[in-house]
Each structure stands twice: as C-alpha cells, then as structure tokens.
C-alpha cells in the first residue's frame, strides 16, 4: 500500500512536467459563445486547452455535466454565461450561480478542489475578456495539476 | 396513547380517512412497526413511544387512499418540502401531531450491549438528531394527540464538529470518502427510505446515457453518493432515516449536514422545511447572491 502510494505520488510529479490541462467549457449560446467567436474573428489568441460545448443558457448546465466531465478526464470545467440581468431567459444564470455555489461546496466537502469548477460572466462583446478568462482558468488548473479523482 | 386510539377510531368511523398510518408494537420493544389501520376496531394497536423511529411520511406519495398519518416534529419539515415541490398537497392527508421528547438510536443500543431499553431513555441512547432537536411538537397538525413536550434544552449543536472535520485538506477528505464509500453495497436503502426521494426514474437507474455506473467497482460508489448529496442539497430535513437504514453504517449525514450548514450560511438562514414561504434554494434565486468565485 505504502509503495503504491509513493509510486502514485512520483507519477503525479512526473506527469506535471509538460502537463497541459484539459478544460471543458460550457458556453452560453447567447453571450459567451458569441464572445468566444468574437475573440476568434478578432484574431485574439488564447490557450487551446479549453474545449467548448455550446449550451442554450448557463442555466442549462446540469451539475452532472460538470461531474461527468471531470470523471471522463477533464482537469477542470468552466461554465460561462451572460452577465446578471442579461440572461436571454432572464433568470437562467441566477439559478446556475446557486447551483454551482452548492456544487463547489460539495466538491470541497468530498475532497475535490472546488477551483476545478470555474464560472464566469462574459458577454458577446467581450472577446478580449474571454481570452483573458481562458488564460486565467488554464493557469489555475495548471497549478492544480492533473485531476486524479473520481 | 388513549387519545391517539380514540381520534383514529373517530376518523375511520366517520369515514374522514381510509387509512390511519401510525406505529404499533413489535416483538422487539422498544421498537415499533409501521401500521396501516383501516378498521376502527384495529385502532387499539396504535402506539407512540420512544421506539417510533420510522419516518412514515415516506408512504404518502402515490398512496391512492386518503390517509391520516402520525408525524413527529422533525418529519413534518419533509411534508413542507414535498408541498413546495408540488409533490403532495397539504389537503391530501390529515396530520396527527404528537409531542416527542426523543427517539432511541438502534445502533447506540446495540453498541452499548443492551438488548432492551433501560427504564428511561437516556441521552446516551438517544438518536443524535433528538439531542439538538428544536421542534419536539408537530407544527401544523390537524389533530394533536397526547401532551405537548415542554421546551427541552438542546444538548448538542446541530453542526457540531463539522468545521473541524472538514478542515482537513482535500486529499485527506478525498481518501476518507473513497474509503468510506467503498463499503457501500449499493442496496439503495438510503435512497428508498428517504422521504424526499420520490423520482420514479432515479438517475441511478437511467442507462441511456448512464450517468452513474452501477457496479461497486472503481469510484462508482463515490460518484453515486456525490449525486445523492447533490439531490439532498437544500432538501434534507435531517430525519436520520438513511443512516438508520444503511446496513454498513455509512455516515451519510455528515455530508448532508455539511451542505445544509453551508446553505444556511449562503441563503439567508434557509433550513429545509422550516418555512413554507421560503422556497428551497435551488428552486429560487436572489439577485444579490454572493458571487465572489465568478470571474
Ligand atoms: S437524506 Fe437521510 S436524513 Fe435527509 S431527509 Fe433523506 S433520509 Fe432523512
Ligand atoms: S444504504 Fe448504505 S450500503 Fe445501501 S446504498 Fe445507501 S450508503 Fe450504500
Ligand atoms: S442565456 Fe446566457 S446565461 Fe442564460
């Protein structure tokens, strides 16, 4: 057992060199997804670690999506929606905010660093902000290292 | 419990209800058994004592008869949640209220080496939820039977010890819970007995897509329980039934209570089932919810 643990630890260390985090982004169709598009058409570069999934609203993102992403190999998840008050469905992002506040608490209680779940507000006009968010999140997850739970 | 028997008889005789759901004695005192009484002459069987541990509200959804039901103070909160979630209208049952000064904890009894209850139920043998109970008399009862319990001082804190326990670092907590949940045999007793688990198609059954692999291999148990914590967030009324039913003594409520504690802090003192007017946190939002983690 002790041996297995040490190997696991050394393995983790070894993996860290050259570690590129996998991040799954759930982006609201009406704002962040368009914002990411804008970043693209404006030729603003940002880390390619994020794989975008387009959803109709941040309120559509079930907590299970996040858990499943982590279970299936993601090192971090980013949920991004419209700014408060700007949700296309008026309230979706408010519900999402509560949901992920609670999910982060569940993560910390069960021993998963809640920083692996990030959330942001980013509008269709904020291409530059999007690039900055992705850079920030990638850096955070890179620091946390590969996700080895679940 | 003469009054309970009389009231139950009256309800059945006057055809106000089809069935009275309560407790009757069992061959293993102090424990009782759930009773479904449909004839007035059977009402004599009804009892209520410190062995009436079961949360009978579990039976109400989909019952198909008009019931009157004996409900303890703590369990009444579950009925409020079910009402808020539009699962059980308040007028679909008659609520028989009781005063309860504490229920025996089967596990403590067994571990203490007792085969029957000493004369008086002492704090040592009492379920922990009763030690910090603040609702000894059923609120909102249609009929209240027996004596009200005078105010009892709580002996422990509801969230005692949680802050210390969860101060461990993530790795330790992760190891702790994977180890604890590796004991789980996936009998689903915790889910089946929970008064608030009513989904006909539980997500743990769904296999297209399969969110929660069913085998106990890998970390699937951890995953199942994470999902259960999620289901109970803002809903668990801390009745203790899941832990009582678990055959392998998994301390499920440590997690449920931790989340309840956090929710109480985040969402303006919310406690599941305390107040009809205050919606469960995930059914509701407030524009001023704290958002300091959002980029
Ligand atoms: S999770 Fe357990 S303590 Fe909470 S309501 Fe369900 S059975 Fe009761
Ligand atoms: S009752 Fe216990 S063993 Fe059964 S599924 Fe729940 S936690 Fe697992
Ligand atoms: S539509 Fe963008 S968050 Fe709801």
């Amino acid at each position: 057992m002790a041996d297995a643990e040490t190997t696991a630890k050394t393995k983790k260390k070894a993996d860290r060199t050259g570690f590129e985090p996998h991040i799954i982004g759930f982006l609201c169709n009406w704002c962040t997804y368009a914002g990411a598009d804008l970043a693209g058409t404006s030729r603003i570069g940002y880390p390619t670690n994020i794989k975008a999934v387009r959803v109709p609203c941040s309120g559509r993102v079930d907590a299970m999506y996040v858990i499943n992403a982590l279970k299936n190999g993601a090192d971090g998840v980013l949920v991004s929606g419209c700014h408060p008050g700007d949700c296309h469905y008026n309230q979706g992002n408010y519900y999402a905010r509560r949901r992920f506040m609670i999910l982060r608490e569940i993560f910390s209680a069960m021993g998963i660093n809640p920083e692996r779940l990030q959330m942001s507000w980013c509008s269709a006009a904020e291409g530059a902000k999007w690039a900055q968010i992705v850079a920030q999140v990638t850096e955070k997850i890179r620091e946390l290292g590969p996700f080895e739970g679940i | 419990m003469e009054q309970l028997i009389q009231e139950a008889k009256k309800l059945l005789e006057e055809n106000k209800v089809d069935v009275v759901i309560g407790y009757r004695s069992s061959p293993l005192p102090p424990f009782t058994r759930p009773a479904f009484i449909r004839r007035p002459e059977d009402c004599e069987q009804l009892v209520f004592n410190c062995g009436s541990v079961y949360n009978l509200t579990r039976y109400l959804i989909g019952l198909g008869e008009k019931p009157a039901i004996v409900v303890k103070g703590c369990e009444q909160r579950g009925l409020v949640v079910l009402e808020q979630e539009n699962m059980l209208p308040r007028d679909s049952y008659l609520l028989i209220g009781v005063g309860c000064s504490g229920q025996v904890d089967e596990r403590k009894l067994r571990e203490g080496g007792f085969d029957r209850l000493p004369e008086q139920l002492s704090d040592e043998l009492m379920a922990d939820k009763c030690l910090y109970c603040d609702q000894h008399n059923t609120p909102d009862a249609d009929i209240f039977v027996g004596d009200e319990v005078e105010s009892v001082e709580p002996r422990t804190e509801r969230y005692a010890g949680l802050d210390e326990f969860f101060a461990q670092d993530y790795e330790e907590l992760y190891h702790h819970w994977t180890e604890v949940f590796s004991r789980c045999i996936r009998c689903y007793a915790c889910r089946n007995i929970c008064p608030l688990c009513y989904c006909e198609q539980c997500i743990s059954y769904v296999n297209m897509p399969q969110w929660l692999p069913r085998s106990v291999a890998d970390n699937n148990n951890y995953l199942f329980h994470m999902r259960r914590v999620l289901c109970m967030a803002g809903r668990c009324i801390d009745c203790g039934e899941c832990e009582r039913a678990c055959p392998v003594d998994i301390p499920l409520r440590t997690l449920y209570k931790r989340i309840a504690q956090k929710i109480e802090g985040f969402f303006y003192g919310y406690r599941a089932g305390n107040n009809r007017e205050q919606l469960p946190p995930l059914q509701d939002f407030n524009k001023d919810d704290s958002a300091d983690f959002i980029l």
Side-chain angles (χ1 to χ4, degrees):
Chain A
M1 193 59 211
D3 269 0
E5 247 162 48
T6 7
T7 1
K9 279 212 180 103
T10 24
K11 190 164 154 260
K12 201 162 149 187
K13 278 233 176 69
D15 277 351
R16 256 170 217 257
T17 46
F19 160 67
E20 280 301 329
H22 289 298
I23 300 168
I24 303 293
F26 292 102
L27 316 188
C28 160
N29 173 45
W30 301 99
C31 48
T32 311
Y33 196 83
D37 238 7
L38 180 65
T41 46
S42 330
R43 312 234 171 250
I44 308 175
Y46 59 85
T48 52
N49 301 64
I50 190 153
K51 318 288 185 285
V53 178
R54 182 159 70 150
V55 290
C57 170
S58 62
R60 177 64 186 91
V61 183
D62 192 294
M64 264 342 254
Y65 294 2
V66 175
I67 296 173
N68 240 32
L70 291 176
K71 173 175 180 285
N72 290 317
D75 301 303
V77 174
L78 169 65
V79 179
S80 189
C82 313
H83 285 273
D86 288 350
C87 173
H88 190 72
Y89 309 98
N90 294 333
Q91 320 172 326
N93 50 3
Y94 291 124
Y95 286 111
R97 179 164 69 187
R98 282 201 162 186
R99 189 176 311 147
F100 295 118
M101 270 168 94
I102 293 177
L103 187 59
R104 279 169 64 104
E105 287 308 325
I106 295 178
F107 280 176
S108 18
M110 293 188 74
I112 295 176
N113 193 324
E115 294 298 313
R116 293 199 185 269
L117 168 54
Q118 295 290 332
M119 202 169 172
S120 66
W121 305 138
C122 176
S123 81
E126 294 176 318
K129 182 179 177 190
W130 173 246
Q132 189 210 324
I133 289 170
V134 177
Q136 212 176 330
V137 171
T138 309
E139 231 9 80
K140 264 191 191 162
I141 307 294
R142 197 193 303 279
E143 264 165 43
L144 295 180
F147 179 58
E148 295 178 334
I150 358 189
Chain B
M1 276 259 122
E2 198 44 39
Q3 205 190 341
L4 171 59
I5 295 169
Q6 292 316 323
E7 292 288 350
K9 239 189 206 146
K10 218 161 73 199
L11 288 173
L12 287 170
E13 272 163 1
E14 291 170 6
N15 266 327
K16 287 222 174 91
V17 298
D18 304 319
V19 55
V20 175
I21 306 178
Y23 306 90
R24 63 192 168 107
S25 58
S26 85
L28 278 172
F31 294 101
T32 57
R33 290 185 283 192
F36 286 71
I37 310 269
R38 293 189 173 81
R39 290 180 307 194
E41 58 269 32
D42 293 341
C43 287
E44 304 291 334
Q45 297 175 7
L46 286 169
V47 296
F48 183 81
N49 57 24
C50 68
S52 304
V53 292
Y54 319 103
N55 185 347
L56 303 174
T57 60
R58 181 68 184 100
Y59 293 119
L60 287 181
I61 288 180
L63 187 67
E65 295 168 284
K66 169 102 183 179
I69 182 166
V70 180
V71 175
K72 300 190 280 291
C74 52
E75 299 158 351
Q76 185 267 348
R77 295 194 168 100
L79 295 174
V80 174
V81 177
L82 291 177
E83 198 184 318
Q84 290 174 323
E85 296 178 349
N86 295 330
M87 287 311 291
L88 191 70
R90 177 64 186 87
D91 54 10
S92 63
Y93 56 89
L94 279 185
L95 191 57
I96 304 182
V98 286
C100 164
S101 49
Q103 292 290 327
V104 58
D105 186 315
E106 191 184 344
R107 218 150 255 145
K108 291 185 187 169
L109 200 63
R110 190 184 344 119
E111 279 161 12
F114 299 96
D115 52 0
R116 60 172 52 247
L117 199 65
E119 228 38 10
Q120 268 265 296
L121 178 59
S122 61
D123 284 358
E124 283 72 49
L125 296 178
M126 204 179 273
D128 58 351
K129 66 165 178 176
C130 305
L131 295 174
Y132 53 73
C133 173
D134 55 7
Q135 194 159 287
H136 289 281
N137 301 301
T138 317
D140 192 32
D142 297 309
I143 305 162
F144 195 93
V145 296
D147 302 323
E148 291 210 7
V149 173
E150 300 289 316
S151 67
V152 190
E153 277 298 307
R155 272 80 85 212
T156 52
E157 292 257 344
R158 176 175 311 275
Y159 302 124
L162 291 182
D163 285 334
E164 295 75 16
F165 179 79
F166 286 99
Q168 301 180 72
D169 63 32
Y170 297 128
E171 210 149 314
E172 283 170 322
L173 282 170
Y174 183 78
H175 277 287
H176 172 81
W177 290 116
T178 33
E179 199 143 309
V180 167
F181 289 135
S182 69
R183 295 209 301 269
C184 171
I185 56 171
R186 294 290 273 279
C187 64
Y188 299 124
C190 51
R191 181 201 60 188
N192 290 353
I193 204 160
C194 179
L196 299 168
C197 270
Y198 49 67
C199 299
E200 278 180 31
Q201 274 295 333
C202 175
I203 189 168
S204 59
Y205 287 153
V206 174
N207 56 8
M208 289 270 266
Q210 188 171 54
W211 295 101
L212 302 167
R214 289 175 200 165
S215 72
V216 297
D218 299 332
N219 236 341
N220 295 344
N221 287 347
Y222 177 94
L223 205 63
F224 165 65
H225 285 287
M226 179 177 276
R227 175 64 226 197
R228 219 181 115 64
V229 179
L230 198 60
C231 286
M232 297 328 292
R235 305 175 67 236
C236 174
I237 52 158
D238 198 33
C239 65
E241 285 291 88
C242 47
E243 280 186 5
R244 191 182 62 74
C246 178
V248 289
D249 292 359
I250 291 181
L252 296 156
R253 269 158 70 231
T254 313
L255 282 170
Y256 305 158
K257 270 206 257 191
R258 175 61 169 181
I259 301 305
Q261 179 194 27
K262 287 289 174 185
I263 284 177
E264 202 173 317
F266 287 159
F267 304 127
Y268 324 99
Y270 180 83
R271 259 186 71 202
N274 249 17
N275 177 355
R276 269 203 175 69
E277 311 309 322
Q278 208 179 1
L279 280 176
L282 288 172
Q283 271 182 42
D284 197 15
F285 64 85
N286 188 311
K287 293 197 168 138
D288 307 322
D289 287 337
S290 112
D292 42 10
F293 70 96
I294 296 178
L295 297 172

